[in-house]
Amino acid sequence: MQHIICSDLEGVFVPEIWINVAEKTGIDELKLTTRDISDYTALMDKRLSILEAHGLTLADIRAVIAKIDPLPGALEFLDALRAEHQIIIVSDTFIEFAGPLMEKLKRPTLFCNCLKVDDSRRITGYELRQEDGKKKTARALQGLNYRVIAFGDSYNDIRMLQAADHAFLFRPPENVVREYPQIPATYDYDELMGHIRATVAEGHAN
Amino acid sequence: MQHIICSDLEGVFVPEIWINVAEKTGIDELKLTTRDISDYTALMDKRLSILEAHGLTLADIRAVIAKIDPLPGALEFLDALRAEHQIIIVSDTFIEFAGPLMEKLKRPTLFCNCLKVDDSRRITGYELRQEDGKKKTARALQGLNYRVIAFGDSYNDIRMLQAADHAFLFRPPENVVREYPQIPATYDYDELMGHIRATVAEGHAN
């Protein structure tokens, strides 16, 4: 059977986008995460109202994001991975934000959400493509007869990792490692690549 | 709703692989197509026995395929498409054959079949990932809440085109145009791109 890779974006290939936007714009409030406001809708509404209050358009935010670089070694790892396997990156971010970063990663396929933007390029809202999109992507690929190897760094990846045929955590926070000891944790790209290659080799041997 | 592109490979982005292998190796018998042997399994068995008879390994065939170039303008069209949309290429070819061509196309995601290769790199067989894989891919993407725009050139794409939300033929043979007059036929990349952009703009206006 053929394997396919299903991976997270932020924390795996690129740094956290909102935190970087906060740092690069100097707007500290944008550092709020689901740890501060647990309800995602409330958090996103807050973020969008902050952008609005500062008069920031989509073009402004994209210019900021264009200054963010992939994590060190991420592009080389991804290039090596794409030479051996097909990969779908699945993220909770918005396609309009991710664009400049995906270009730096040489445009791997990304499944994510999208923003609502008005004629003056003001961000007026957003659209989540579907509930539980990460897990559903893993399931859809299995429905296409792929054996799914998934990896991600945190809580929002867990359901995808649990649905996958093989799963790895990449640089997870300690509490995630403690809560999900059955998912092997990896901390650098070579280690993760070694796990992926071993998984595929074992699959072919069976 | 977000759109996603689901496209064919051979005849759309790259020339027909077997025909080119036949030409470049001088083995005329490899020009056999489903027009000559309508049963795909019988045709593939014949092709593999021809390779075997000529002592050609996977490495030999890949070296031949590495000399094939994408169709003129294909890379520019694909680059432009990938800057605007996510794309999955779905093909009946084998990943081991497509590899050198996908590299030239900058590694877009490809869903296809795979070969069975023994330790001496002899091709011993092949594995079709699933029946009706093109159509199932379009359906799976719709299940992930994407609106699917599909295009392809011939009979083996029809079920995918019929399953898609929007579909176009690209440089189809005349008989396909006659049989499926309801699917708009396009003949160059600019024309196809124009149709895709119009489809997406209309989708956003609704």
Side-chain angles (χ1 to χ4, degrees):
Chain A
M1 259 181 101
Q2 283 189 71
H3 292 83
I4 198 165
I5 311 283
C6 209
S7 94
D8 184 26
L9 176 66
E10 292 175 80
V12 172
F13 294 112
V14 305
E16 297 294 331
I17 294 177
W18 282 106
I19 290 173
N20 269 266
V21 168
E23 279 167 5
K24 288 188 194 299
T25 56
I27 305 173
D28 258 9
E29 273 182 293
L30 287 177
K31 284 191 183 152
L32 292 170
T33 70
T34 44
R35 265 159 280 175
D36 309 295
I37 302 178
S38 64
D39 178 56
Y40 183 79
T41 307
L43 174 63
M44 271 306 300
D45 288 349
K46 179 75 183 164
R47 284 168 170 169
L48 294 187
S49 75
I50 295 167
L51 296 185
E52 173 77 19
H54 286 80
L56 294 171
T57 65
L58 176 56
D60 299 325
I61 300 296
R62 279 175 66 97
V64 169
I65 292 172
K67 290 181 200 152
I68 304 175
D69 280 321
L71 294 171
L75 180 59
E76 293 73 15
F77 168 64
L78 184 55
D79 276 350
L81 210 50
R82 291 169 78 185
E84 296 177 25
H85 297 286
Q86 305 305 307
I87 175 165
I88 307 277
I89 299 180
V90 196
S91 172
D92 294 330
T93 192
F94 302 98
I95 193 75
E96 294 83 357
F97 286 172
L101 285 162
M102 298 316 282
E103 204 181 324
K104 294 186 188 186
L105 291 173
K106 303 188 194 167
R107 300 204 183 286
T109 300
L110 174 67
F111 289 0
C112 66
N113 299 310
C114 66
L115 293 171
K116 292 181 187 166
V117 180
D118 69 13
D119 288 342
S120 60
R121 307 298 286 157
R122 246 181 81 252
I123 303 167
T124 56
Y126 59 94
E127 197 178 280
L128 302 184
R129 207 183 64 248
Q130 65 185 173
E131 285 289 309
D132 214 6
K134 291 194 184 215
K135 176 186 167 182
K136 282 176 185 154
T137 299
R139 288 279 183 235
L141 293 169
Q142 287 168 332
L144 297 175
N145 254 359
Y146 279 106
R147 199 165 288 179
V148 174
I149 299 175
F151 50 87
D153 73 331
S154 201
Y155 285 112
N156 66 337
D157 300 305
I158 293 296
R159 288 172 60 79
M160 169 175 80
L161 300 185
Q162 289 173 332
D165 297 280
H166 304 278
F168 304 99
L169 287 162
F170 183 73
R171 294 183 190 156
E174 281 227 4
N175 47 349
V176 173
V177 178
R178 265 198 310 275
E179 250 179 88
Y180 301 96
Q182 70 282 16
I183 307 176
T186 61
Y187 294 89
D188 70 54
Y189 295 122
D190 286 347
E191 186 187 9
L192 179 54
M193 187 59 119
H195 277 288
I196 292 169
R197 287 187 175 141
T199 300
V200 172
E202 200 179 326
H204 289 171
N206 290 339
Chain B
M1 260 182 99
Q2 283 189 71
H3 293 81
I4 197 164
I5 311 283
C6 211
S7 94
D8 184 25
L9 176 65
E10 292 174 79
V12 172
F13 295 112
V14 305
E16 297 295 331
I17 294 177
W18 283 106
I19 290 173
N20 269 266
V21 168
E23 280 167 5
K24 289 190 195 297
T25 56
I27 305 172
D28 258 11
E29 274 182 291
L30 287 177
K31 283 189 184 153
L32 293 169
T33 70
T34 45
R35 264 159 281 174
D36 308 295
I37 302 179
S38 64
D39 178 53
Y40 183 78
T41 306
L43 174 63
M44 271 304 300
D45 288 349
K46 179 74 183 162
R47 285 168 170 170
L48 294 187
S49 74
I50 296 167
L51 296 185
E52 173 77 17
H54 285 80
L56 294 171
T57 65
L58 177 56
D60 299 325
I61 301 296
R62 280 175 64 98
V64 170
I65 292 172
K67 290 181 202 152
I68 304 175
D69 279 323
L71 294 170
L75 180 59
E76 294 71 15
F77 167 64
L78 184 55
D79 277 349
L81 209 51
R82 290 169 79 184
E84 296 176 26
H85 297 286
Q86 304 306 306
I87 174 165
I88 308 277
I89 299 180
V90 196
S91 172
D92 294 330
T93 192
F94 303 97
I95 191 76
E96 294 83 357
F97 285 173
L101 284 162
M102 298 315 282
E103 204 180 324
K104 294 186 189 185
L105 291 173
K106 302 188 193 167
R107 299 204 182 285
T109 300
L110 174 68
F111 289 0
C112 66
N113 299 309
C114 65
L115 293 171
K116 292 180 188 168
V117 180
D118 70 12
D119 288 342
S120 60
R121 307 299 285 157
R122 247 183 78 252
I123 303 167
T124 57
Y126 59 94
E127 198 178 279
L128 302 184
R129 209 183 63 247
Q130 63 184 175
E131 285 289 308
D132 214 6
K134 292 195 183 216
K135 176 184 167 181
K136 283 176 184 154
T137 299
R139 289 276 183 241
L141 293 169
Q142 288 168 332
L144 296 175
N145 252 1
Y146 279 106
R147 200 164 288 180
V148 174
I149 300 175
F151 51 86
D153 71 332
S154 200
Y155 284 113
N156 65 337
D157 300 304
I158 294 296
R159 288 171 60 78
M160 169 176 82
L161 300 185
Q162 288 173 332
D165 298 280
H166 304 278
F168 304 100
L169 287 162
F170 183 72
R171 295 183 189 156
E174 281 227 3
N175 47 347
V176 172
V177 177
R178 266 198 311 274
E179 251 181 88
Y180 302 96
Q182 68 283 16
I183 308 176
T186 61
Y187 294 88
D188 70 53
Y189 295 122
D190 286 347
E191 185 188 9
L192 179 54
M193 187 60 122
H195 276 289
I196 292 169
R197 285 187 177 143
T199 300
V200 171
E202 199 179 326
H204 288 171
N206 289 341

